[in-house]
């Protein structure tokens, strides 16, 4: 067995890196931002490869897309019930595990609307930007 066969393939390394960066991210990332972060570890990684790998990760249900302000962001799956907080200053999107809506599935709203799920995106300043603004 050659040494080359023992090391993971290039495609595997790319897939593992992108998957890890998304799992470790503070929230869903745009393709551009994911690419930027990945270049720190794989400087030769092309944008087309990022798109191709994301498609694969979506097929494997490791990653899903989040549509926010008209842009598709990518997020690792399995984060449980959560919401997104979009910072108007630094434009980062954060995952929040606190739920601002006390509306469990099965809640019946006025008029007879039975709630099964909800989506909420919060907008404002992230802790860093809020601190900078009040300094
Ligand atoms: Zn911010
Ligand atoms: Zn919620």
């Amino acid at each position: 067995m050659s040494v080359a066969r023992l090391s993971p393939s290039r495609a595997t390394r790319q897939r593992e890196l992108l998957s890890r960066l998304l799992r470790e991210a503070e929230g869903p990332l745009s393709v551009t931002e994911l690419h930027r972060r990945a270049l720190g570890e794989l400087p030769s990684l092309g944008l087309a490869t990022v798109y191709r790998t994301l498609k694969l990760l979506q097929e494997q249900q490791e990653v899903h897309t989040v549509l926010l302000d008209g842009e598709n962001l990518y997020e690792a799956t399995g984060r449980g019930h959560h919401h997104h907080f979009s910072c108007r200053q630094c434009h980062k999107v954060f995952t929040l595990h606190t739920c601002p809506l006390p509306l469990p599935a099965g809640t019946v709203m006025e008029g007879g609307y039975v709630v099964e799920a909800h989506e909420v995106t919060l907008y404002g300043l992230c802790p860093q930007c809020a601190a900078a603004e009040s300094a």
Side-chain angles (χ1 to χ4, degrees):
M1 200 187 284
S2 73
V3 176
R5 282 180 67 93
L6 285 172
S7 62
S9 76
R10 193 180 156 87
T12 303
R13 275 207 317 276
Q14 291 165 343
R15 195 168 66 239
E16 283 173 357
L17 172 64
L18 295 182
S19 173
R20 174 165 56 79
L21 288 173
L22 286 173
R23 281 197 313 272
E24 291 173 355
E26 67 283 2
L29 301 179
S30 66
V31 174
T32 321
E33 177 60 17
L34 177 62
H35 185 221
R36 197 186 63 76
R37 294 184 188 192
L39 286 177
E41 295 185 42
L42 280 181
S44 63
L45 189 71
L47 190 58
T49 306
V50 175
Y51 274 107
R52 197 168 55 239
T53 307
L54 280 172
K55 193 163 173 279
L56 193 75
L57 287 170
Q58 275 182 274
E59 284 166 8
Q60 293 168 339
Q61 298 181 354
E62 273 194 55
V63 163
H64 64 177
T65 53
V66 176
L67 186 66
L68 210 76
D69 298 329
E71 191 180 14
N72 259 324
L73 305 178
Y74 292 83
E75 174 173 64
T77 53
R79 290 195 161 180
H81 186 79
H82 67 274
H83 295 286
H84 297 125
F85 186 100
S86 177
C87 178
R88 66 169 163 83
Q89 192 68 41
C90 67
H91 303 292
K92 271 191 196 164
V93 179
F94 299 84
T95 294
L96 297 185
H97 286 282
T98 47
C99 181
L101 272 189
L103 279 179
T107 302
V108 181
M109 307 286 289
E110 198 181 324
Y113 302 91
V114 183
V115 176
E116 293 184 344
H118 65 258
E119 283 182 26
V120 180
T121 304
L122 302 160
Y123 295 88
L125 290 171
C126 74
Q128 257 189 318
C129 292
E133 194 143 295
S134 65

